[in-house]
Amino acid sequence: MLNFVDTVQEAVSGIKDGSTVMIGGFGNAGQPFELIDALMDCGARELTVVNNNAGQGDQGLALLIKEGRVKKMICSFPRQSDSWHFDAKYKAGQIELELVPQGNLAERIRAAGAGIGGFFTPTGYGTMLAEGKETRMIDGRGQVFETPVHADVALIKALTADGAGNLVYRKTARNFGPIMAAAARHTIAQVSGIVPVGGIDPENVVTPGIYVNSIVKVA
Amino acid sequence: MDLQTSDTPLGRDDLARLVARDIATGSFVNLGIGQPTLVSNYLLPEQNITLHTENGMLGMGPVAEGDAIDGDLINAGKIPVTELPGASYFHHADSFAIMRGGHLDICVLGAFQVSATGDLANWHTGAPDAIPAVGGAMDLATGAKDVFVMMTLLTREGASKIVESCSYPLTGVGCVTRVYTDKAVFLTGPDGVSVRETLGCTLEELQELVPVPLKAASATAAVGG
């Protein structure tokens, strides 16, 4: 069921304590800042957040972490020059970290959306990130079994939605948006513009509307 | 044996030029963050190289400046870049499928250590207080047809970064095919380490620095590209 809502507050109002929330974006590109700010204001706690990073500077996901709303991060690259809020929580033992190679993270998210129960991948074989995981030799290469990452909610940013919920993105801000939209049980997209049904050429749709539940226009 | 090709050790830019020269015409290439990024400065238009950035783009152009800076158009190091004619965008799972699926010809990475059989350590020092962050390092090490490493041969303390076996946590097993350093270009594989060319030293002098047996590469293995 697709809803167009007027405010980001309304869009995130159903997110409960303890939810797993996927947040799109690679660095700041494609990060849905307004939806994250609304998530902060709605007060949900004990969140598991799936994102490539663990927040930058003093905005968006970094603030959610600073305020102690995030119980666990599932990400590939939490350590950056300006990830001081994650650094502090991690060193204080106040946040869990599941570190996943970036391509495995993307494929685990894709697998969840595609109904795949897991997959073998050569990435990470023979490293400490494969410790405790099932391995096999396939086509002469060591491979590691990885499982899907599901989520209750995805917060993503796209450029334009049409009246059917189809989305297009802009440049490298696309990053995790399409796969998170498919993986989460409820996907909320903030967009810069909304056009009528038929306003996006079907050949150019990147995320079909079937994956999208709520759309909010952000100026 | 006339192995030596330079009278002096190479600086970072000269080394980047050497790597660029060795990339075959028409290749699809991913340049890792840091020193490998310098290689893009020395690729020639006639080489027709297509650069991949793992956040979701083929056909990446030079770093953006001035009005060309666009927050939605960044590289894997989160630096604003430009797009070239023929560029394409795709989501993260597709981008890593391009890598893991063996579609990239060459990936150039930095390293802490490379072992005699091509194991790579470049993501984590293993220090107890270090926050681990892997990003795409393991995917890059595993996916490309050829993995080139660029690094100084010695640490600041003078220890060889080419080692019998890596003491830092591994990024990938047996994945590195070639190592470009300031003092020599090494070929690595299941049969150990051979030296394609020395830079400002002899093979004998090099052997005194490196704790694994070195041999001169055979003529066929020494062909660039």
Side-chain angles (χ1 to χ4, degrees):
Chain A
M1 174 76 182
L2 176 65
N3 281 305
F4 288 85
V5 297
D6 293 328
T7 66
V8 286
Q9 288 76 18
E10 188 184 348
V12 304
S13 60
I15 300 178
K16 297 180 176 62
D17 290 357
S19 296
T20 296
V21 181
M22 290 179 171
I23 300 179
F26 176 85
N28 289 342
Q31 194 171 157
F33 285 111
E34 288 81 357
L35 284 172
I36 301 168
D37 289 347
L39 176 60
M40 172 87 99
D41 293 340
C42 91
R45 311 188 70 84
E46 298 286 303
L47 300 173
T48 295
V49 172
V50 184
N51 182 261
N52 188 64
N53 305 104
Q56 288 102 309
D58 283 297
Q59 56 182 349
L61 175 55
L63 287 185
L64 213 54
I65 291 168
K66 178 191 177 193
E67 295 300 322
R69 306 293 176 77
V70 182
K71 178 184 66 175
K72 179 179 179 182
M73 276 304 313
I74 301 176
C75 68
S76 85
F77 206 79
R79 185 193 65 229
Q80 301 186 98
S81 59
D82 57 352
S83 58
W84 42 74
H85 292 308
F86 177 83
D87 294 6
K89 290 287 180 195
Y90 184 79
K91 286 180 175 161
Q94 292 170 344
I95 194 164
E96 287 176 58
L97 171 65
E98 181 178 347
L99 188 72
V100 185
Q102 201 169 336
N104 287 2
L105 181 64
E107 192 64 14
R108 290 176 66 189
I109 294 167
R110 197 198 71 79
I116 303 292
F119 56 91
F120 282 93
T121 171
T123 302
Y125 180 82
T127 75
M128 60 187 262
L129 295 188
E131 283 170 9
K133 294 180 177 174
E134 183 184 348
T135 59
R136 275 191 202 172
M137 291 300 288
I138 300 175
D139 296 334
R141 298 188 82 183
Q143 309 219 14
V144 187
F145 186 67
E146 295 284 358
T147 54
V149 178
H150 295 277
D152 300 298
V153 181
L155 307 181
I156 65 170
K157 179 182 176 181
L159 178 64
T160 305
D162 71 8
N166 297 312
L167 303 178
V168 293
Y169 300 82
R170 188 166 179 277
K171 301 185 186 287
T172 58
R174 181 183 305 195
N175 56 66
F176 284 92
I179 52 176
M180 287 183 170
R185 281 178 279 277
H186 186 90
T187 292
I188 304 168
Q190 70 169 67
V191 297
S192 302
I194 298 173
V195 298
V197 169
I200 300 173
D201 181 343
E203 295 285 3
N204 294 338
V205 169
V206 176
T207 292
I210 191 169
Y211 295 130
V212 183
N213 302 97
S214 295
I215 293 173
V216 56
K217 184 178 169 185
V218 170
Chain B
M1 177 170 36
D2 183 23
L3 197 61
Q4 194 162 325
T5 56
S6 165
D7 292 337
T8 58
L10 294 190
R12 289 160 60 95
D13 282 282
D14 288 334
L15 194 60
R17 188 180 289 112
L18 181 59
V19 174
R21 186 197 73 189
D22 281 352
I23 294 177
T25 300
S27 294
F28 291 88
V29 177
N30 186 300
L31 301 175
I33 295 167
Q35 194 176 353
T37 306
L38 292 174
V39 173
S40 65
N41 297 341
Y42 300 100
L43 294 171
L44 304 173
E46 56 266 33
Q47 283 181 279
N48 194 24
I49 305 300
T50 303
L51 293 181
H52 172 260
T53 182
E54 63 266 29
N55 50 317
M57 180 185 192
L58 276 165
M60 179 174 64
V63 167
E65 291 174 355
D67 291 345
I69 291 174
D70 178 341
D72 285 344
L73 179 46
I74 60 174
N75 66 14
K78 306 191 175 77
I79 307 295
V81 291
T82 51
E83 65 183 29
L84 296 177
S88 54
Y89 298 108
F90 29 80
H91 64 62
H92 244 69
D94 277 350
S95 190
F96 284 86
I98 285 171
M99 198 181 288
R100 192 190 311 106
H103 306 284
L104 288 181
D105 296 296
I106 295 170
C107 169
V108 186
L109 297 172
F112 298 148
Q113 292 174 326
V114 177
S115 83
T117 53
D119 294 352
L120 172 67
N122 77 347
W123 74 281
H124 187 31
T125 61
D129 61 340
I131 295 174
V134 67
M138 291 184 181
D139 307 274
L140 286 161
T142 305
K145 291 174 193 158
D146 270 303
V147 175
F148 293 177
V149 160
M150 282 176 83
M151 63 182 191
T152 56
L153 178 61
L154 305 178
T155 66
R156 282 195 199 94
E157 293 74 33
S160 172
K161 296 184 191 175
I162 291 186
V163 292
E164 187 61 43
S165 76
C166 296
S167 57
Y168 289 123
L170 289 187
T171 308
V173 177
C175 55
V176 176
T177 52
R178 206 180 284 185
V179 185
Y180 291 83
T181 75
D182 50 331
K183 296 186 191 304
V185 178
F186 302 88
L187 308 179
T188 51
D191 299 329
V193 184
S194 56
V195 178
R196 194 187 75 177
E197 59 194 275
T198 59
L199 306 165
C201 60
T202 65
L203 185 59
E204 291 69 27
E205 287 164 346
L206 194 64
Q207 183 65 79
E208 287 178 20
L209 301 172
V210 178
V212 301
L214 301 176
K215 55 183 184 290
S218 66
T220 47
V223 173

